[in-house]
Amino acid sequence: MNCCIRGAVTVEENSRECIWENTKLMLNEIINANNINIEDIVSIYFTCTRDLDAAYPAVAAREIGIVDAALMCVQELYVKGSLEMCVRAAVNIETYKRQKDMKHIYLKGAQRLRPDIVNKSKIDAVAIDGPAGSGKSTVAKLISKELGYIYVDTGAMYRTVGLCCLNKGISLDDNEKIKEVLPYVDISLEFDKGIQKIFLNGRDVTDEIRTQPVAEAASKVAAIPEVRTQLVEIQRKIAEKNKVVMDGRDIGTNVLKNAKTKIYLDADVSERAKRRCNELDEKGITFDYDNIVKEIVERDNYDKNREVNPLAAAKDAVVIDTTGLTIEQVKDKIMSVVRD
Ligand code: DC
């Protein structure tokens, strides 16, 4: 049988790289979402809006290995007021499936074309990622309260595994020992008025995990794939049963790829260090500013450069630089994305 899958993506600028990169993104999503064997693609018709003429999108298809299909690129009919900077595709495949089972893909600004399709496959969740000190948890709590969702702090789970290793005297460089202890790490969460409490083998460790050694231990254990698999499973189960605002490092890119709203928060290192100093000051803890900066940079490096699910903005996340913004301003920006 022959079926046709539609795809559309908006492009940031009229350049070859941008057109090809976005076309590849769209084609790969079509292929993955529909489980397509590249050899089963018969033909692809591409259209570009009139403002995109720096490259043929078909080249992107060849570059990802679609070599036998017939490809065709044409300029789109111009209708006043319609979407700009947009590449569209109609992918014809041979399959035993039926047309009604095809998953059409609309990415970035093109999601506006078919909100019915886009929203059907998405869950009511707000995914917030970003580096330490970018303001994730403070703003996530406010957003969850406003939306009536529960707030899930995934960093607390990695901290709990880190705490467990520290308590057992396990070296954080000994991945094998850490993996051995995993079956005995029972993490459970409770939500009191939407706010999370975390338990390690039945003991409330919500406050105990908020120390610098535990944060460093968390970053180390978070690089171990087996640790991530165990914790991501818990995170997804919570999001299946509840509407969540979930924050962490890989929520938009991995844990909740299908979240309706994805946000990536960032801020200058100096601003993040100042926020951390203020927190310590409020708790009456003495600190050294340069040391705090060093710790933040080290943890960023570790979280961004690990092999499994590193800290990164999802391609469809809205990136917000919180440097110089108040929490209220950040909250308002996120709420307007949610409402959009
Ligand atoms: O957000 P936090 O400081 O509580 O997180 C502690 C560490 O846990 C962080 O340095 C990286 C890791 N982490 C992660 O790898 N993935 C997540 N989803 C959340 C946290």
Side-chain angles (χ1 to χ4, degrees):
M1 202 188 304
N2 233 289
C3 286
C4 184
I5 303 154
R6 287 281 283 112
V9 63
T10 47
V11 169
E12 293 75 19
E13 61 180 51
N14 181 23
S15 68
R16 286 183 346 161
E17 292 68 30
C18 219
I19 292 173
W20 289 341
E21 192 189 310
N22 282 289
T23 307
K24 279 184 203 168
L25 175 72
M26 170 180 64
L27 291 175
N28 281 326
E29 290 273 333
I30 290 175
I31 289 165
N32 292 337
N34 292 283
N35 232 336
I36 297 173
N37 204 332
I38 279 184
E39 282 90 59
D40 293 335
I41 301 177
V42 179
S43 61
I44 309 179
Y45 295 98
F46 292 98
T47 68
C48 281
T49 43
R50 289 198 312 185
D51 42 16
L52 294 180
D53 58 5
Y56 293 113
V59 176
R62 297 283 182 237
E63 281 188 2
I64 59 169
I66 304 174
V67 286
D68 296 317
L71 305 179
M72 169 95 106
C73 305
V74 292
Q75 196 177 58
E76 207 173 277
L77 182 69
Y78 176 69
V79 178
K80 216 170 163 194
S82 64
L83 198 61
E84 293 172 353
M85 308 276 274
C86 186
V87 178
R88 293 171 218 237
V91 180
N92 296 294
I93 58 165
E94 261 184 39
T95 174
Y96 60 89
K97 291 186 197 162
R98 290 185 299 172
Q99 179 65 28
K100 76 173 186 49
D101 298 322
M102 296 298 108
K103 294 198 177 92
H104 306 292
I105 300 295
Y106 292 83
L107 301 174
K108 300 189 179 176
Q111 297 195 351
R112 248 174 289 147
L113 296 169
R114 292 297 304 269
D116 54 330
I117 290 180
V118 171
N119 287 334
K120 209 164 62 181
S121 61
K122 299 216 164 166
I123 60 164
D124 282 318
V126 180
I128 306 182
D129 290 302
S134 55
K136 298 186 302 285
S137 61
T138 317
V139 86
K141 279 180 199 153
L142 295 177
I143 301 275
S144 63
K145 206 165 168 200
E146 190 143 335
L147 292 172
Y149 290 11
I150 60 169
Y151 164 53
V152 184
D153 169 5
T154 62
M157 298 184 197
Y158 292 94
R159 283 172 183 257
T160 301
V161 176
L163 175 72
C164 182
C165 294
L166 291 178
N167 286 349
K168 286 185 185 295
I170 296 171
S171 156
L172 296 165
D173 297 317
D174 191 345
N175 287 8
E176 291 312 310
K177 270 263 145 45
I178 297 173
K179 280 191 249 171
E180 270 170 32
V181 91
L182 273 180
Y184 308 100
V185 180
D186 174 30
I187 293 182
S188 53
L189 302 177
E190 275 180 18
F191 297 93
D192 185 14
K193 298 193 185 84
I195 299 299
Q196 172 180 301
K197 270 184 179 293
I198 192 155
F199 298 81
L200 170 61
N201 298 331
R203 192 167 64 85
D204 186 346
V205 292
T206 311
D207 297 325
E208 213 177 311
I209 55 172
R210 298 286 149 208
T211 66
Q212 192 53 34
V214 174
E216 281 164 30
S219 188
K220 287 260 173 77
V221 299
I224 303 172
E226 287 79 359
V227 172
R228 303 201 71 81
T229 308
Q230 185 160 324
L231 299 189
V232 167
E233 196 185 320
I234 303 175
Q235 293 156 14
R236 289 195 178 133
K237 276 201 182 127
I238 297 171
E240 263 169 33
K241 294 193 189 122
N242 305 275
K243 292 183 175 182
V244 295
V245 176
M246 189 177 280
D247 79 8
R249 305 293 190 285
D250 62 336
I251 311 304
T253 53
N254 174 46
V255 182
L256 304 179
K257 275 191 189 157
N258 53 348
K260 268 191 191 158
T261 309
K262 294 187 189 179
I263 306 287
Y264 186 87
L265 294 185
D266 212 343
D268 287 351
V269 172
S270 56
E271 168 112 3
R272 292 193 275 133
K274 272 184 220 143
R275 288 177 191 165
R276 176 87 189 115
C277 293
N278 288 343
E279 273 170 29
L280 294 173
D281 215 16
E282 273 167 26
K283 288 183 191 163
I285 300 171
T286 48
F287 56 84
D288 174 59
Y289 176 79
D290 292 337
N291 251 343
I292 301 276
V293 171
K294 195 168 145 257
E295 276 160 16
I296 287 181
V297 171
E298 267 172 16
R299 195 137 73 96
D300 279 2
N301 278 339
Y302 215 83
D303 294 343
K304 284 180 180 167
N305 296 313
R306 66 171 177 237
E307 267 172 39
V308 266
N309 303 125
L311 165 64
K315 290 214 163 83
D316 51 351
V318 174
V319 179
I320 301 174
D321 186 345
T322 68
T323 313
L325 297 183
T326 65
I327 286 297
E328 275 303 310
Q329 286 169 323
V330 180
K331 187 197 89 177
D332 290 346
K333 275 180 187 267
I334 298 180
M335 284 310 295
S336 77
V337 178
V338 173
R339 287 192 201 101
D340 239 15

